[in-house]
Amino acid sequence: MKPNEQFVHSVFESIAPKYDLMNSILSFNRHKYWRKFTMQKMNVQTGNSAIDICCGTCDWTISLAEASGTGDIVGLDFSQNMLDYGAYKIDKLGMDKQISLVHGNAMKLPYDDNTFDYATIGFALRNVPDFRQVLKEMQRVVKPGGQVVSLELSKPTWQPFKAIYFFYFQYILPLLGKLIVKKYEQYKWLPESLAHFPDHKQLAAIFEEIGLVNVQAYPLTGGIAALHIGTKPGISQVKP
């Protein structure tokens, strides 16, 4: 791994035990609504397959499996600690036969072209070394007509909410990280990871640049998050 990759890896390895709690704090507990909205827009059908990139502790991976019912679902992450926490949830739900967890690199997915109906990535695209490369890999492994889906923190577009949120994100969140999980530098870095990340319109344009079609972008909760869905060109479609 490159130096920056090593740092990001160390961040997620260290925050894994409190990741779910801090995710709720970071999003004002809206991440559950955002994921529910995303699943409605995706319209996963019984038997559909999916790979959840940078799956973390597997909340979205589990939602995909529940929606698919019988389809094969893969959760991939470079943090073994995150996967271990995800595996505990999956085993508790008795879904270990349907969900496979893979310790792997989002920049080079260990799957053939045209393997999955969906490729998803949640709250991680801004943290990878090259998000265009990751999106291209996601596009590569979905079938023609399959969907590439990103749910990510974004940049609020209207004042005064924008100023309030960035103050919270840059100053309050790291202090909460220090207080609750004894991790200050890790949560100080997370706002920095968003600073140079595209806003929802720019990211939609990048989806189109790499060849995805029917791109949809949905700002959520005043723009602090955004859902992007793009379809791989092809005759067959995931949705009926």
Side-chain angles (χ1 to χ4, degrees):
M1 287 186 286
K2 297 177 181 178
N4 189 54
E5 286 181 83
Q6 291 175 344
F7 174 73
V8 175
H9 181 264
S10 69
V11 167
F12 285 96
E13 285 281 275
S14 66
I15 67 176
K18 298 291 185 179
Y19 178 79
D20 291 344
L21 172 62
M22 290 303 295
N23 215 21
S24 294
I25 292 171
L26 188 152
S27 69
F28 305 107
N29 206 38
R30 297 298 288 167
H31 66 102
K32 296 175 184 177
Y33 159 75
W34 298 337
R35 188 166 60 250
K36 183 178 180 181
F37 176 84
T38 298
M39 292 299 297
Q40 289 173 345
K41 291 297 182 183
M42 290 172 64
N43 191 27
V44 176
Q45 301 295 301
T46 300
N48 282 160
S49 60
I51 180 168
D52 187 21
I53 312 297
C54 304
C55 63
T57 57
C58 298
D59 282 348
W60 198 355
T61 319
I62 291 168
S63 293
L64 290 164
E66 289 172 340
S68 172
T70 58
D72 292 330
I73 308 297
V74 172
L76 179 143
D77 204 290
F78 72 162
S79 168
Q80 187 61 52
N81 284 353
M82 287 285 193
L83 290 173
D84 289 345
Y85 279 91
Y88 174 78
K89 295 179 184 177
I90 290 165
D91 290 344
K92 194 173 180 180
L93 291 169
M95 304 181 89
D96 53 303
K97 296 291 191 297
Q98 185 185 4
I99 299 174
S100 302
L101 297 184
V102 176
H103 188 222
N105 188 346
M107 299 278 287
K108 190 175 182 180
L109 299 176
Y111 294 95
D112 293 336
D113 297 358
N114 310 320
T115 298
F116 301 97
D117 295 306
Y118 294 91
T120 64
I121 185 166
F123 308 113
L125 193 60
R126 72 189 188 285
N127 298 325
V128 299
D130 183 342
F131 63 83
R132 284 181 174 83
Q133 172 62 21
V134 170
L135 289 172
K136 288 176 182 177
E137 276 292 278
M138 293 171 71
Q139 180 185 30
R140 180 182 67 78
V141 299
V142 296
K143 302 171 185 177
Q147 292 184 347
V148 172
V149 185
S150 169
L151 178 59
E152 183 56 274
L153 295 179
S154 191
K155 300 173 181 178
T157 54
W158 51 275
Q159 296 286 11
F161 181 71
K162 180 177 181 180
I164 294 170
Y165 180 72
F166 273 105
F167 179 83
Y168 167 80
F169 203 41
Q170 291 178 321
Y171 299 106
I172 305 301
L173 178 64
L175 292 176
L176 290 174
K178 182 179 181 179
L179 178 66
I180 297 171
V181 297
K182 306 298 188 287
K183 304 291 183 183
Y184 177 77
E185 291 299 326
Q186 290 85 344
Y187 283 95
K188 182 181 177 184
W189 168 77
L190 286 175
E192 295 172 0
S193 71
L194 183 60
H196 302 292
F197 191 71
D199 63 26
H200 75 275
K201 292 181 180 179
Q202 292 168 331
L203 188 56
I206 291 167
F207 267 54
E208 293 174 343
E209 286 172 14
I210 68 169
L212 294 166
V213 298
N214 301 325
V215 175
Q216 306 163 59
Y218 302 92
L220 303 170
T221 314
I224 66 173
L227 165 64
H228 289 78
I229 301 176
T231 301
K232 183 172 180 174
I235 298 173
S236 63
Q237 296 292 323
V238 172
K239 294 183 180 182

